[in-house]
Amino acid sequence: MSAQPPVKPKISLKDFRPQIERIERRLFLKQGLSLGALSMLSGCTLKDDDAVDKLLWAMSRWNDRVQAAIFDPAKLARTYTEAEVTEPFPFNAYYEEPMAPVIYGPDYRLELSGLISDKRQWRIEDLRALPQTTQITQHICVEGWSAIGKWGGTVFKTFLERVGADLTAKYVGFKCADKYSTSIDMPTALHPQTLLTLDFPGKPDDTKYGYPVKVRIPTKLGFKNPKFVTEIFVTNDYPGGYWENQGYNWFSGS
Ligand SMILES: Nc1nc2c(c(=O)[nH]1)N[C@H]1C(S)=C(S)[C@@H](COP(=O)(O)O)O[C@H]1N2
Ligand SMILES: [Mo]
């Protein structure tokens, strides 16, 4: 390849759309992208970390759109029996277990913001008064483990309808007591198995799995299932999240 001057191209998804589409096709066929192809695409030397980085981000965001386009809102995640539940259920967070927040129930309020017409705060007992259902599904963590757990709560779509969320908006975002955050696409938020849960694996006084509120999304990887949720917002502006902002693919679902 001929030597190229170090350039810092301004990369936008739009500029690379045909190339990225071509690469996506090749990825499906071959599961691999050579560095040469990457450098040709970005028109930069691979020493130009910033440009390569921007390109990979653009590809990941493109990948989000492909995944969103093939998401089937009617396809259900597999469910399991009580006998198949993993005990004890593994704990995970971006910190060690003793650091997990312990929320004092009577003081807890779930806050709502963004494109929601009724932004009243919710206490645990108010959430408990909504229709409840249970679900036994598999949780898959990108760190290389999976487990089957039982969660109980309200169908998230029912909750979103109840508070007058704009169901045509693009994203639902979550903020958590431990400064964690994540966000999902609206079709996933409206999926029948996405639950706003109050009951988690473990004993009733075990708070580390997300007490008092965890949003359980069996069609998404574990990191997109927020625990200790304190705020839910609806928006058309891409919200990102704790891991998503560090490079994990945003859609991360099926
Ligand atoms: N608030 C909060 N939610 C979180 C996390 C976190 O660190 N904080 N970690 C995520 C990750 S990576 C995983 S695998 C699951 C772990 O949930 P568990 O402790 O119920 O197994 O929570 C997800 N939700
Ligand atoms: Mo995870």
Side-chain angles (χ1 to χ4, degrees), residues 13-253:
L13 196 59
K14 195 164 85 314
D15 300 328
F16 282 89
R17 202 174 173 130
Q19 291 95 324
I20 290 172
E21 271 176 306
R22 221 176 301 138
I23 280 183
E24 287 282 339
R25 271 201 299 277
R26 284 195 33 209
L27 284 171
F28 281 124
L29 296 174
K30 253 184 36 177
Q31 301 274 315
L33 171 61
S34 71
L35 288 177
L38 244 187
S39 66
M40 268 161 60
L41 243 179
S42 60
C44 64
T45 63
L46 286 169
K47 291 193 191 77
D48 192 352
D49 287 345
D50 199 40
V52 171
D53 210 53
K54 279 198 190 120
L55 177 76
L56 290 172
W57 274 103
M59 287 186 63
S60 181
R61 294 295 292 129
W62 168 253
N63 193 21
D64 285 336
R65 296 180 52 179
V66 172
Q67 291 181 83
I70 61 177
F71 176 75
D72 178 356
K75 192 175 160 222
L76 298 182
R78 183 175 162 195
T79 57
Y80 297 81
T81 64
E82 299 268 356
E84 291 171 290
V85 166
T86 309
E87 303 232 34
F89 196 82
F91 165 88
N92 198 26
Y94 68 92
Y95 43 76
E96 296 302 316
E97 201 171 311
M99 302 293 291
V102 180
I103 294 175
Y104 179 61
D107 286 347
Y108 173 82
R109 299 289 181 275
L110 174 64
E111 290 180 39
L112 302 178
S113 62
L115 305 171
I116 292 177
S117 62
D118 183 354
K119 296 194 178 70
R120 257 178 304 185
Q121 299 186 342
W122 289 70
R123 295 170 305 169
I124 299 170
E125 55 265 44
D126 303 329
L127 294 169
R128 188 65 79 180
L130 292 170
Q132 305 286 305
T133 181
T134 61
Q135 186 180 92
I136 303 174
T137 49
Q138 187 181 36
H139 169 116
I140 301 168
C141 175
V142 280
E143 286 170 51
W145 57 271
S146 73
I148 292 167
K150 181 175 176 179
W151 287 270
T154 301
V155 173
F156 194 47
K157 183 183 181 202
T158 305
F159 178 76
L160 291 176
E161 284 169 348
R162 182 69 68 97
V163 299
D166 177 357
L167 304 183
T168 67
K170 284 190 183 154
Y171 308 105
V172 180
F174 306 96
K175 293 183 189 169
C176 308
D178 55 1
K179 309 281 180 231
Y180 191 79
S181 62
T182 188
S183 58
I184 56 172
D185 50 296
M186 186 62 78
T188 297
L190 301 177
H191 186 278
Q193 287 174 310
T194 299
L195 302 182
L196 188 153
T197 66
L198 302 169
D199 299 310
F200 322 102
K203 311 240 164 8
D205 60 348
D206 218 344
T207 58
K208 65 189 179 195
Y209 300 108
Y211 178 84
V213 170
K214 170 184 172 127
V215 177
R216 172 69 189 138
I217 312 166
T219 57
K220 293 254 186 241
L221 289 176
F223 81 91
K224 302 207 62 92
N225 288 234
K227 310 195 290 185
F228 321 109
V229 175
T230 53
E231 183 179 336
I232 297 175
F233 60 99
V234 174
T235 178
N236 283 309
D237 301 322
Y238 174 71
Y242 180 87
W243 287 117
E244 293 86 339
N245 299 350
Q246 297 176 59
Y248 280 23
N249 171 255
W250 179 76
F251 194 85
S252 288

